[in-house]
Amino acid sequence: MISAFLYVYGNLVFFYSMSLIIIYVVLIIMADQQAKKNQKWGKKYIRSMIDSSPYTKGVSIVAGAYNEENSIVDNVNSLLSQDYPNFEVVIVNDGSKDKTLEKMIDAFELVEIPYDYVYKVHCQPFKRLFKSLNPKYNKLTVVDKVNGGTKADAINGGLNVVTNPYFINTDADCLLAKDAIYECIFPVLQDERVIAVSGTMSISNGFLLNSKGEVIEKRPSSKPFPLFQDLEYKRSFLIGKMGWSNINAMPNVSGGYGLFNTEVVIAAGGYSYDSFAEDMDMLWRMIGYCCDFHKEYRVVQIPHTCCWTEGPATFKTMNRQRTRWGRGLIQLIDKHKKMAFKPYYKQLGLITFPYEIIFEFFAPVIEALGLISLIYLLFTGGINWLSFWVMLCTIYLFSIMLSGLIIFYDFIQGGSYNHIKSYLKLLVAGCLEPFIYHPLITFFSLKGYANYIFRTRAVWGDMQHKGHKK
Amino acid sequence: MEDIRFYGWDTIRYYWFVIQNHFSGWSWQISVAYTIVFCCSVALILLGLVFAFRVQRRNRRNKHQALIADKYTETIKQILLSDSMPASSMIELLKKCDGKDEDEIKSEAKSFIPILVSIRTSLTELAYFPNLQILATVCGVREYCEKSLLEGHDVFNTIQMMAMLQLVVSEGRLANYVNHRDYDTRLMARLCFIVCGINDPYKFLLEDIEHNSSSMYTMMLHYTFAWMKAQDKKMPNFINLANNLENEDAASFMINEVGFFGTDEEKAEIPLFLTSKSYKCREAAIKSIHLVNSEETYDKLVEMYPDQIEETKREIIKALGVPKNNKYNEFFVAAYEDSPSKETKEAALRCLYDNNKEGRYQFVLLQQKTTDPEQSTLMQKIDSIGALKMIYELQ
């Protein structure tokens, strides 16, 4: 009985892995096509059109801040230093318990102004709104509200004061590239059907900043978790999302950096305060709204690195983040199950949803079962060692090839780092990742699933930002 | 043992059988896995080689570009920003930069392009540079572009650069591309055709804008029209185009453009669109009136106000706020009191507040009169933002 199970399981895993390899190869080809479409247009050309036009669309940057006193001033400065001609920055102080608000008031000369706050989307009660007395910061608006416990609630709080047709959802701990808005708005300018644009994100833990919060040297972190995460982000954005974007089947626009159509987000009901994958949930509801009202839509990924975020550097914060993501995925699948395999929901129903279930949701389960079978076979002496090594080598080499490819890809796109040796560091991380980082991520995801199934009380928790080196 | 020598197809078959024989004792899954290992290894080696090659090439190119930019940027900028200058003076100035003769300067044409582009990007407020066309000839940039178009090499980038710099080349050079099968190439070539065309520069305009009224395309057109206007070249008849377009967005763009570049006769025709069936065209007409600041049409806006949807009403209010005329204060007060929309109320109050002393007085009266806490907060907000604006102006 057990041997029959192991035989079937072994074959199943083989087909599963081969399917995944084929999907990745297809994604690489599609990502390449998509990147070429994007690279075709010269950045300077786009920029000069936008700068000189009276038709330039306004963009609001909305960022939630909760207990971020260490880095808030640097990060708001980074948000304000955007080059784009028509933008505003809305920072939502989500009931911080530390001196986040006070630091902003001091640094940006903020004063409270009366505001007739309208709850276009639900959020915890609004308290105050601040504007700066200094014309240098006239693009800054700070909303102070009662803590909602989730990022979704904070962004909804900001969304209610947004005045532009498009907004960027980001985190206050993110550093944005100066030309990030130009890059993100371009797909919208080309095609009015675009409802969301995802910019590529990277990890900023190793960066050096000057006193104004501007990046002076980009280098990878010397700590393992942020380094592995950097590689993971690059893989996800430059191959996964770029590829899906080519066929309008993007599964997610990251909560770290994404541009959205304000009207569609509000029409879809804003961010779900109870969701643990609020970014993915928002996108799926936006697509659902467009399908329900027969509106054409496009969701686009761009290869340009628009945003750098401080990744979790310790086991504890990593555990909390990834457990939440795991929980978010299962919650999302459960919540939107009506969309699965339905042609009515176009690519989302027929491609994205099945992929998310089979290759995202089941992957940790299959890996865990694989480990258990391996241990069982070790004890019973049922392992064919040559087959074992060949299979291990196949998956390992494919994973390194993917890492090599994304490093190459990143370099072609302009490069996330200033030195070639930074890329070598990433490549070393790529070689170690399958043995150190990946098992941990699998474990955290399974923990997230268990938390959801057994209804364990959910805590978002603080992510202590250490700030950047100066 | 005698050697067997294989030739041609037999060599490939021999190795195929060797591989087949090697894996004959294994399951097909192992064969597949071995194939993947082999492919990945080859891919990794190739990636490493290509990466090293590209790093070296990029470094070499960047170094050369930086050197050229260092030597020529200031002189080129000086030439572009000065009044009309003869070609001979330009050549003399360029020779001084690096001691190169005329032919050697032309051989660096490709390196001059990024310099011209970055100067253009940094000075978007200028509609055109009077010396650009001659400078492009002197530096060999025009020759380079024409050669690229003729040979079909790097066409899209070349056309894009030409559209950005508004570089005039012979119309015939674009002939292959104005009907190109690639949509983007065709569109860009047709934009360049507006700049370079002599007989009928707007030949493709109606067809193009009818099918593509994306914001990017309208921005490109606006940029080109600005250059045409600055060069005193023949502009299209915007009103005719607006009347002949079925695409509402395209028609409203044309009506908007009247406000920027239309002739006096065309501007006088804008009010005709105030009664258009399309609300987008009506809004565009209001925006145009706003731009033209035409006193005669303001009364018509007041007249048509009650029959409009809220968005159009707000546009009317904004347009009436432009002349800062006491005459419309009553209108703003009525708009504030009658509208069910908070956004329209806010627009009316804002115009009243910014209008003039009389308007501000009316605003204060309304503020004193209101008992509704929501309205009171709205007024306080407008008051505070107005105060902030004054502080910004003082600083």
Side-chain angles (χ1 to χ4, degrees):
Chain A
M1 176 68 185
I2 290 177
S3 61
F5 168 76
L6 288 174
Y7 176 77
V8 173
Y9 181 74
N11 275 299
L12 188 80
V13 169
F14 179 79
F15 284 113
Y16 187 83
S17 313
M18 290 306 121
S19 313
L20 206 53
I21 287 177
I22 292 167
I23 289 173
Y24 264 107
V25 171
V26 173
L27 281 176
I28 289 168
I29 296 166
M30 292 197 302
D32 187 53
Q33 281 178 347
Q34 180 69 8
K36 276 182 185 151
K37 268 188 227 167
N38 192 282
Q39 276 173 334
K40 196 173 173 183
W41 293 90
K43 285 181 184 179
K44 292 201 165 163
Y45 180 67
I46 298 166
R47 204 188 164 104
S48 59
M49 291 304 118
I50 292 174
D51 284 347
S52 61
S53 179
Y55 303 105
T56 300
K57 292 189 188 296
V59 175
S60 302
I61 302 175
V62 182
Y66 178 70
N67 291 351
E68 315 232 2
E69 62 177 11
N70 288 335
S71 56
I72 192 71
V73 176
D74 279 354
N75 294 327
V76 174
N77 270 321
S78 158
L79 298 180
L80 286 168
S81 67
Q82 290 291 301
D83 277 345
Y84 196 71
N86 184 7
F87 77 100
E88 62 171 356
V89 174
V90 178
I91 303 290
V92 183
N93 177 48
D94 196 22
S96 296
K97 288 172 193 152
D98 64 359
K99 292 191 171 165
T100 303
L101 184 63
E102 288 77 2
K103 285 212 167 177
M104 280 195 283
I105 291 172
D106 287 347
F108 303 109
E109 300 166 46
L110 300 177
V111 283
E112 186 183 340
I113 64 160
Y115 196 82
D116 55 327
Y117 193 82
V118 180
Y119 291 85
K120 295 176 201 159
V121 287
H122 171 79
C123 70
Q124 286 300 308
F126 161 83
K127 288 204 283 195
R128 295 173 290 176
L129 187 133
F130 296 88
K131 295 283 284 178
S132 176
L133 281 172
N134 189 337
K136 209 170 121 191
Y137 307 118
N138 63 354
K139 288 183 167 133
L140 177 65
T141 301
V142 175
V143 174
D144 185 26
K145 63 178 269 295
V146 173
N147 179 252
T150 60
K151 188 191 165 189
D153 196 76
I155 298 298
N156 281 350
L159 202 52
N160 290 329
V161 301
V162 155
T163 54
N164 288 314
Y166 291 90
F167 77 96
I168 287 169
N169 170 10
T170 187
D171 293 324
D173 63 302
C174 285
L175 297 169
L176 302 191
K178 280 196 164 198
D179 57 352
I181 307 181
Y182 285 102
E183 294 288 339
C184 268
I185 200 76
F186 180 58
V188 175
L189 299 177
Q190 267 194 313
D191 186 349
E192 304 281 329
R193 294 171 301 172
V194 173
I195 55 167
V197 182
S198 162
T200 300
M201 284 177 74
S202 212
I203 297 290
S204 68
N205 293 48
F207 281 18
L208 273 179
L209 306 185
N210 64 15
S211 56
K212 290 178 194 162
E214 292 164 347
V215 178
I216 46 172
E217 196 186 332
K218 294 178 206 161
R219 54 186 192 191
S221 171
S222 50
K223 293 194 171 157
F225 276 135
L227 195 62
F228 288 135
Q229 240 190 327
D230 199 6
L231 197 65
E232 189 191 15
Y233 271 31
K234 286 185 176 23
R235 191 166 48 228
S236 155
F237 284 103
L238 296 177
I239 292 182
K241 289 181 181 174
M242 282 294 289
W244 291 127
S245 168
N246 197 355
I247 52 167
N248 199 21
M250 280 267 288
N252 184 19
V253 171
S254 167
Y257 189 88
L259 179 133
F260 297 87
N261 181 316
T262 312
E263 202 184 305
V264 177
V265 170
I266 291 174
Y271 287 82
S272 262
Y273 66 94
D274 60 348
S275 175
F276 285 91
E278 81 291 337
D279 44 4
M280 213 160 162
D281 175 73
M282 185 70 249
L283 184 71
W284 287 24
R285 281 189 296 111
M286 283 169 80
I287 295 174
Y289 162 79
C290 289
C291 293
D292 289 341
F293 288 87
H294 309 290
K295 288 175 192 273
E296 285 189 89
Y297 71 91
R298 291 267 317 154
V299 182
V300 178
Q301 169 70 40
I302 54 165
H304 184 79
T305 306
C306 295
C307 167
W308 292 273
T309 182
E310 213 181 320
T314 62
F315 182 85
K316 198 177 155 193
T317 45
M318 190 79 200
N319 174 12
R320 204 159 45 209
Q321 187 195 56
R322 293 310 167 107
T323 306
R324 196 180 72 231
W325 287 10
R327 188 178 185 140
L329 181 65
I330 186 169
Q331 183 192 35
L332 184 86
I333 289 172
D334 186 26
K335 188 175 172 186
H336 295 280
K337 52 185 176 287
K338 64 163 188 167
M339 287 179 168
F341 308 103
K342 296 251 174 73
Y344 179 78
Y345 291 105
K346 299 177 183 171
Q347 286 95 325
L348 177 62
L350 294 177
I351 301 170
T352 315
F353 206 115
Y355 175 85
E356 287 298 315
I357 295 175
I358 301 166
F359 294 106
E360 292 288 340
F361 173 70
F362 279 122
V365 179
I366 288 175
E367 283 175 40
L369 280 176
L371 191 69
I372 295 166
S373 345
L374 182 73
I375 293 166
Y376 171 79
L377 289 172
L378 264 178
F379 282 106
T380 55
I383 294 184
N384 178 336
W385 284 104
L386 187 68
S387 302
F388 170 79
W389 287 116
V390 170
M391 289 298 174
L392 188 72
C393 213
T394 308
I395 301 299
Y396 183 62
L397 259 181
F398 187 76
S399 135
I400 293 181
M401 200 268 293
L402 266 186
S403 302
L405 195 71
I406 52 141
I407 290 168
F408 178 62
Y409 230 68
D410 183 72
F411 177 77
I412 293 176
Q413 300 300 335
S416 298
Y417 300 118
N418 298 89
H419 303 294
I420 293 297
K421 67 178 180 189
S422 304
Y423 286 102
L424 291 176
K425 210 169 169 182
L426 266 189
L427 193 65
V428 173
C431 296
L432 298 173
E433 188 203 11
F435 302 112
I436 304 169
Y437 183 69
H438 190 74
L440 283 175
I441 296 301
T442 305
F443 170 71
F444 296 147
S445 298
L446 288 171
K447 200 175 147 199
Y449 296 170
N451 284 354
Y452 181 76
I453 292 162
F454 299 113
R455 308 280 171 206
T456 311
R457 197 175 72 86
V459 183
W460 272 63
D462 308 354
M463 179 169 146
Q464 287 300 325
H465 293 294
K466 295 186 174 173
H468 297 90
K469 282 183 189 170
K470 288 185 178 176
Chain B
M1 203 173 149
E2 202 182 327
D3 279 357
I4 301 168
R5 294 195 174 190
F6 294 111
Y7 295 98
W9 175 239
D10 284 340
T11 318
I12 297 167
R13 281 184 66 202
Y14 168 74
Y15 283 109
W16 173 250
F17 285 129
V18 168
I19 294 167
Q20 220 177 16
N21 188 44
H22 185 76
F23 289 109
S24 60
W26 294 98
S27 66
W28 65 271
Q29 284 96 331
I30 296 293
S31 311
V32 170
Y34 263 118
T35 313
I36 295 173
V37 169
F38 175 74
C39 292
C40 288
S41 309
V42 171
L44 266 173
I45 293 167
L46 281 178
L47 261 179
L49 290 174
V50 176
F51 191 73
F53 169 72
R54 293 197 64 153
V55 168
Q56 204 194 17
R57 197 179 65 175
R58 182 184 286 189
N59 287 348
R60 206 172 44 215
R61 204 172 45 198
N62 288 353
K63 215 169 154 185
H64 180 71
Q65 186 57 48
L67 202 74
I68 296 284
D70 202 32
K71 285 176 180 166
Y72 289 93
T73 304
E74 278 313 309
T75 311
I76 290 179
K77 200 168 181 178
Q78 185 194 332
I79 294 172
L80 286 176
L81 294 176
S82 62
D83 296 331
S84 297
M85 188 188 271
S88 54
S89 313
M90 286 184 199
I91 294 168
E92 284 313 309
L93 281 172
L94 290 172
K95 275 181 182 171
K96 277 182 200 162
C97 295
D98 198 17
K100 287 184 176 175
D101 65 25
E102 210 177 323
D103 289 338
E104 281 173 326
I105 289 171
K106 280 189 176 175
S107 69
E108 294 290 355
K110 203 176 169 185
S111 305
F112 286 125
I113 294 173
I115 301 175
L116 290 175
V117 166
S118 49
I119 295 173
R120 173 76 268 196
T121 321
S122 61
L123 296 163
T124 41
E125 66 278 7
L126 296 175
Y128 83 108
F129 297 115
N131 295 318
L132 182 83
Q133 306 298 335
I134 303 170
L135 181 68
T137 312
V138 168
C139 303
V141 171
R142 189 196 309 273
E143 205 180 317
Y144 174 83
C145 292
E146 292 193 328
K147 201 174 160 205
S148 294
L149 293 177
L150 196 68
E151 291 171 359
H153 164 71
D154 200 17
V155 171
F156 189 74
N157 279 336
T158 306
I159 297 184
Q160 205 177 155
M161 183 269 292
M162 280 167 54
M164 185 178 171
L165 298 176
Q166 279 123 350
L167 204 62
V168 180
V169 296
S170 124
E171 197 179 308
R173 290 278 193 259
L174 293 167
N176 277 344
Y177 304 104
V178 285
N179 289 311
H180 199 269
R181 64 193 156 89
D182 176 65
Y183 179 75
D184 291 333
T185 308
R186 189 168 69 236
L187 201 72
M188 293 306 291
R190 288 177 176 193
L191 265 183
C192 289
F193 188 81
I194 296 178
V195 173
C196 307
I198 296 163
N199 289 333
D200 183 8
Y202 303 107
K203 193 167 139 187
F204 304 105
L205 183 61
L206 189 72
E207 180 193 330
D208 285 343
I209 190 112
E210 187 76 89
H211 296 113
N212 181 1
S213 55
S214 71
S215 302
M216 194 64 207
Y217 183 56
T218 52
M219 283 174 165
M220 289 174 188
L221 274 180
H222 181 84
Y223 184 78
T224 310
F225 290 154
W227 181 82
M228 300 289 279
K229 182 87 179 171
Q231 296 274 55
D232 230 1
K233 294 211 173 195
K234 180 96 180 113
M235 302 298 284
N237 189 325
F238 297 109
I239 297 284
N240 262 351
L241 283 166
N243 282 326
N244 286 305
L245 283 163
E246 280 173 24
N247 180 338
E248 273 187 18
D249 292 316
S252 60
F253 166 71
M254 286 300 167
I255 300 165
N256 257 327
E257 289 299 275
V258 176
F260 292 105
F261 311 116
T263 57
D264 290 341
E265 292 78 33
E266 282 178 313
K267 284 174 183 167
E269 286 186 54
I270 299 174
L272 296 176
F273 290 96
L274 291 175
T275 49
S276 164
K277 274 184 185 170
S278 151
Y279 86 88
K280 283 184 181 170
C281 289
R282 287 203 300 273
E283 266 184 40
I286 297 162
K287 278 183 189 160
S288 267
I289 290 170
H290 181 157
L291 284 170
V292 175
N293 198 0
S294 133
E295 290 267 353
E296 302 91 69
T297 43
Y298 286 132
D299 291 339
K300 192 156 175 76
L301 290 182
V302 176
E303 208 177 285
M304 66 185 276
Y305 179 85
D307 306 324
Q308 306 303 318
I309 58 168
E310 288 300 322
E311 276 117 340
T312 317
K313 281 184 176 176
R314 284 195 283 276
E315 286 303 329
I316 294 177
I317 292 170
K318 278 181 209 162
L320 292 173
V322 175
K324 313 266 180 226
N325 192 333
N326 274 342
K327 196 173 150 189
Y328 303 112
N329 285 341
E330 287 307 314
F331 168 80
F332 294 137
V333 173
Y336 162 73
E337 283 173 345
D338 299 341
S339 177
S341 155
K342 205 168 186 178
E343 284 175 57
T344 311
K345 279 181 188 290
E346 188 173 340
L349 284 176
R350 220 177 265 267
C351 284
L352 194 62
Y353 186 94
D354 290 336
N355 213 14
N356 44 40
K357 273 186 187 168
E358 179 63 27
R360 185 76 56 90
Y361 176 68
Q362 296 266 9
F363 178 87
V364 175
L365 285 183
L366 280 176
Q367 209 172 9
Q368 283 167 352
K369 207 171 80 179
T370 188
T371 49
D372 181 353
E374 263 191 36
Q375 297 305 318
S376 169
T377 316
L378 178 66
M379 287 169 181
Q380 280 175 35
K381 172 188 163 185
I382 289 164
D383 206 5
S384 312
I385 289 173
L388 271 180
K389 264 189 207 165
M390 278 200 286
I391 293 171
Y392 292 163
E393 276 161 22
L394 284 174
Q395 287 187 16

